[in-house]
Amino acid sequence: MSAVPAQRVEMIPINRITVVNPRIRNKKVFKEIIGNIAEIGLKRPITVTRRAEAGGPSYDLVCGQGRLEAFKALGQKEVPALVVAANQEDCLVASLVENCARRQLRAIDLLQDIGGLKQRGYSVPEIARKTGLTGEYVYAVIRLLEKGEQRLLRAVESGQIPFSVALEIAEADGDGVQGALQNAYEANLLRGRKLLVAKRLVEARRHLGKGLKVHQSAKRSAPLSSEALVRAYQQDADRKKVLIRRAEAAKGRLVFIAEALRRLVADDAFIRMLGEESLSDLPAPIALRIRREAILS
């Protein structure tokens, strides 16, 4: 990749900036970025490169997507940007390299970054050289990606299993997966808790598949018409009427039971029989209800 020399900081219209390598942001982290910028301003400008167009200059984002989107969320029309001289390919690679160098790299980021370089024709050694990762690691990630092994890739990125073990599992057939785990155990790559986690991962992969389910956001409900609104209210009123009838029926049965018990405890023969059976006491709620019924009557 050619050098990307800095030129100067300018105020760039946000609507003229194109994000070359977009990615999904963590909502909590993004809110923190917005709050920080709103409170103390932008500490470090974003980096862009200029490209000439018929309708005026436009810009490709090199790095700073979170800061750019935070400025947009705060209602700003312009953002301070460090303008550099680079072609679109260099900007894309610079963005990918910066993302790969993050301390908390997520599996989705690795898929986008290394996968993006691979799709643009870079070889494994070239990707390793540009990202600072080992060739073995890059090769394993590309193979896992090609095989649709998102579950294994996430386990690698979270440190649950070594990438070499994940690759061996991905390349193995059904019976060979257990052999891969055995080889990892004998090579002291999976021991103790890591071995248990790997076994659970293999089971989940066998039952649920190689990929990870993506939860789509629920579709917004269509606005209710007046007829639908009246129908909803009527259904709710009907449900309440049913509940009221059930409550009244239950109340009637409770009143009957309380009255029956009140008359029984007034019967001396019944009280003697309870005493003989060592059942001279009533539960406090029942005794209170009987006394209340007696007072009301």
Side-chain angles (χ1 to χ4, degrees):
M1 183 181 71
S2 60
V4 185
Q7 294 183 349
R8 61 186 180 278
V9 176
E10 301 178 14
M11 294 301 296
I12 304 297
I14 291 177
N15 61 1
R16 304 294 295 177
I17 301 174
T18 300
V19 180
V20 180
N21 183 36
R23 62 182 60 255
I24 299 172
R25 294 285 165 182
N26 180 285
K27 291 182 179 180
K28 182 179 178 181
V29 174
F30 183 57
K31 287 181 179 179
E32 292 176 355
I33 294 175
I34 294 176
N36 188 47
I37 291 177
E39 182 177 354
I40 64 176
L42 187 64
K43 291 182 178 179
R44 185 160 57 97
I46 66 173
T47 304
V48 299
T49 184
R50 194 192 315 270
R51 52 184 171 84
E53 290 187 355
S58 296
Y59 304 85
D60 288 333
L61 182 71
V62 178
C63 61
Q65 181 184 344
R67 285 164 280 160
L68 174 65
E69 292 177 348
F71 253 65
K72 187 183 297 185
L74 290 169
Q76 300 296 315
K77 302 299 182 184
E78 295 182 325
V79 59
L82 182 67
V83 181
V84 300
N87 59 38
Q88 188 175 28
E89 189 72 12
D90 286 341
C91 290
L92 175 62
V93 174
S95 175
L96 297 177
V97 170
E98 181 193 41
N99 292 329
C100 282
R102 288 179 178 173
R103 290 177 60 191
Q104 295 181 339
L105 184 65
R106 299 175 301 161
I108 185 66
D109 294 330
L110 196 59
L111 284 173
Q112 292 173 342
D113 297 342
I114 295 180
L117 289 171
K118 178 64 176 177
Q119 290 174 0
R120 285 165 178 81
Y122 286 93
S123 65
V124 169
E126 289 174 330
I127 296 174
R129 187 172 62 255
K130 291 178 183 296
T131 59
L133 302 171
T134 66
E136 293 82 1
Y137 187 84
V138 171
Y139 173 78
V141 169
I142 291 174
R143 286 296 294 160
L144 292 174
L145 178 57
E146 290 174 345
K147 288 180 167 290
E149 295 282 2
Q150 285 88 0
R151 196 176 299 278
L152 286 175
L153 184 56
R154 186 180 67 174
V156 169
E157 285 305 295
S158 62
Q160 293 178 330
I161 60 174
F163 68 85
S164 58
V165 177
L167 183 59
E168 189 173 354
I169 292 173
E171 300 286 3
D173 55 16
D175 296 332
V177 171
Q178 294 302 322
L181 292 178
Q182 180 64 31
N183 293 338
Y185 176 81
E186 293 175 355
N188 206 28
L189 295 175
L190 290 177
R191 290 294 176 94
R193 183 177 178 277
K194 280 195 172 184
L195 180 59
L196 295 177
V197 170
K199 288 182 177 179
R200 286 197 294 266
L201 174 64
V202 167
E203 283 300 307
R205 177 176 174 270
R206 185 165 66 89
H207 291 292
L208 303 177
K210 301 177 182 179
L212 296 172
K213 293 183 178 179
V214 178
H215 300 282
Q216 297 179 346
S217 57
K219 296 181 179 179
R220 293 184 178 179
S221 300
L224 289 175
S225 64
S226 57
E227 293 82 2
L229 192 60
V230 170
R231 190 162 53 249
Y233 275 119
Q234 186 61 51
Q235 291 172 350
D236 188 60
D238 292 341
R239 284 194 295 270
K240 286 183 171 59
K241 289 178 182 178
V242 172
L243 290 175
I244 290 172
R245 286 197 297 270
R246 289 178 179 175
E248 290 177 345
K251 180 180 178 182
R253 286 192 290 269
L254 287 173
V255 169
F256 173 79
I257 294 171
E259 177 62 18
L261 286 174
R262 186 183 68 80
R263 294 187 180 185
L264 284 172
V265 297
D267 188 321
D268 293 337
F270 181 72
I271 294 298
R272 285 196 299 272
M273 183 182 68
L274 289 179
E276 292 171 358
E277 297 292 336
S278 300
L279 298 173
S280 55
D281 295 331
L282 288 174
I286 296 178
L288 179 62
R289 180 62 183 263
I290 292 174
R291 286 196 297 271
R292 187 182 304 159
E293 293 292 334
I295 293 173
L296 294 176
S297 62

